[in-house]
Amino acid sequence: MRNHANNRVGFMRVHQGDCIRLLSDKDIYQVIAIDDHHDRCWVRRWPLQRHGSPVFEVSLSSVESPGQPMPAA
């Protein structure tokens, strides 16, 4: 079963493993986990860096609705 949350601002679905962009910048991030009860998710920069990419928490309202499919890494 896929973990998912409704983004109340954009009415989009965010799924664990999705690649997304944040409103604050145009880099690509991968969704690691979602807490839909608190409208939060944890992301890391995509593609992964050689020695790993730090995971950090963001509000689901800061996730940009994708206009086009994300590029494959």
Side-chain angles (χ1 to χ4, degrees):
M1 176 184 277
R2 288 182 84 171
N3 187 8
H4 65 273
N6 283 322
N7 180 342
R8 292 183 186 146
V9 173
F11 298 106
M12 68 175 223
R13 288 210 180 261
V14 176
H15 299 277
Q16 185 176 359
D18 284 353
C19 286
I20 53 100
R21 286 197 167 98
L22 302 177
L23 294 173
S24 60
D25 67 51
K26 296 301 176 190
D27 289 332
I28 298 173
Y29 297 89
Q30 182 184 34
V31 177
I32 302 303
I34 301 166
D35 180 351
D36 56 347
H37 296 292
H38 296 99
D39 292 323
R40 311 297 288 169
C41 67
W42 289 263
V43 298
R44 63 182 172 192
R45 191 176 305 275
W46 187 260
L48 297 177
Q49 298 171 1
R50 181 181 176 123
H51 298 289
S53 297
V55 174
F56 59 96
E57 180 182 359
V58 297
S59 167
L60 287 173
S61 64
S62 69
V63 173
E64 184 177 284
S65 296
Q68 298 178 354
M70 297 290 174

